[in-house]
Amino acid sequence: MLDYEAIAADYRHNGFVVIERFLPEGLLAELQAETKSKVAAAREGRLSGPHYDVIGTPGGGFDLRRIANPEEAGAVYDRVMRFEPLIDLVAHLLGGTVRFDHAKLNFKPPGGGGALEWHQDFAFYPQTNDDMLAVGVMIEDSIPENGPLLVVPGSHRHEVYDHHQNGVFVGGIPADRLNGAAHAAVALTAPAGSISIHHARTLHASDRNRGGTNRPLLLLNYFAVDAFPVFHGYDWDKFNARILRGSPVDCPRFAPVRCKVPFPAPVPAGRHTTGSIFDTQADMTGGLVLERQSAAP
């Protein structure tokens, strides 16, 4: 039985929490099987469409880097997103109401791929308040070698950093703006079926994958019902159809959270992009993860 109050206290203090072996074994097995099937299809050149970010490998093959809106690409992802014990917990952390906003399934292909620079989710989609969180579902074991999520405890209680360079949004924070904050980072490692939950303002990143697995991480983003986007628009009926706890409201709640909008977007220089965070960070310079990688043997 989960101790909601203890989890909430930990989340409020640190800006994140990890709950080991949260998913039932049967649901986890379905999730793993579906994900392995999609990875295999991508490697065989059989996976295409707007949901799939498939990249080429140095050997002329293919790897699956990301699935956008996976809840639309596989029934098991939708079931995990709506899993009642998960929504119960999220509702407790968000004050009672829950709107599902979006999801993505990120991979780290083996052999050094998939690193992400330091960033805060709130900078990508600022809302009228910051009762917003992301659930990371660990489909495989998350271990130090495969580039687990790195988070900075307590960073959700501080500023939203500028994620721009040279006048465009690059989706990451250069090292000279962090003032050493990332030195306090901890890695979120846990067995398959575990979940992490982090606040939308929590500083986080991940290193490259030095292991032999794909390290798939299903990220489910949930907001309070009265958190409204400050820049993006939605169809009103579809917006309200995403509510999993609570009722529609037509008056957003405002909180004093200062943040730049994630625009203008960078213009890719002659390369194909899918709009993912990997593409957004492609032209960023001066990042801590990038510096560490360039210095590695």
Side-chain angles (χ1 to χ4, degrees), residues 112-286:
L116 287 174
E117 278 295 345
W118 288 100
H119 63 283
Q120 295 159 294
D121 293 340
F122 194 86
F124 287 76
Y125 29 83
Q127 309 282 305
T128 57
N129 66 70
D130 65 346
D131 276 333
M132 308 157 54
L133 57 78
V135 176
V137 180
M138 303 176 195
I139 300 176
E140 296 178 357
D141 293 346
S142 179
I143 58 177
E145 292 76 20
N146 64 12
L149 199 66
L150 303 170
V151 297
V152 176
S155 55
H156 66 302
R157 291 182 266 112
H158 301 289
E159 65 180 301
V160 178
Y161 289 83
D162 185 358
H163 290 57
H164 293 68
Q165 278 188 324
N166 301 317
V168 298
F169 181 74
V170 294
I173 309 166
D176 59 3
R177 295 181 193 156
L178 287 169
N179 297 317
H183 294 162
V186 297
L188 303 188
T189 57
S194 303
I195 63 170
S196 64
I197 303 176
H198 68 265
H199 190 278
R201 289 170 60 186
T202 298
L203 276 170
H204 59 288
S206 61
D207 208 344
R208 61 181 177 173
N209 181 5
R210 297 179 176 84
T213 71
N214 272 314
R215 204 227 66 172
L217 182 66
L218 176 63
L219 290 162
L220 306 168
N221 292 265
Y222 302 97
F223 304 164
V225 167
D226 60 5
F228 280 54
V230 300
F231 201 98
H232 296 287
Y234 293 87
D235 175 270
W236 182 244
D237 291 334
K238 291 180 180 179
F239 187 61
N240 289 326
R242 292 176 175 270
I243 295 175
L244 303 178
R245 288 284 192 283
S247 302
V249 298
D250 57 9
C251 185
R253 174 169 51 92
F254 289 86
V257 184
R258 181 178 175 82
C259 177
K260 283 187 174 183
V261 294
F263 297 98
V267 178
R271 66 173 186 272
H272 169 72
T273 67
T274 62
S276 73
I277 186 173
F278 301 102
D279 293 326
T280 304
Q281 291 189 353
D283 294 323
M284 181 184 165
T285 60

Side-chain angles (χ1 to χ4, degrees), residues 46-58:
R46 297 186 290 106
L47 200 63
S48 63
H51 291 293
Y52 305 111
D53 181 0
V54 179
I55 58 174
T57 66

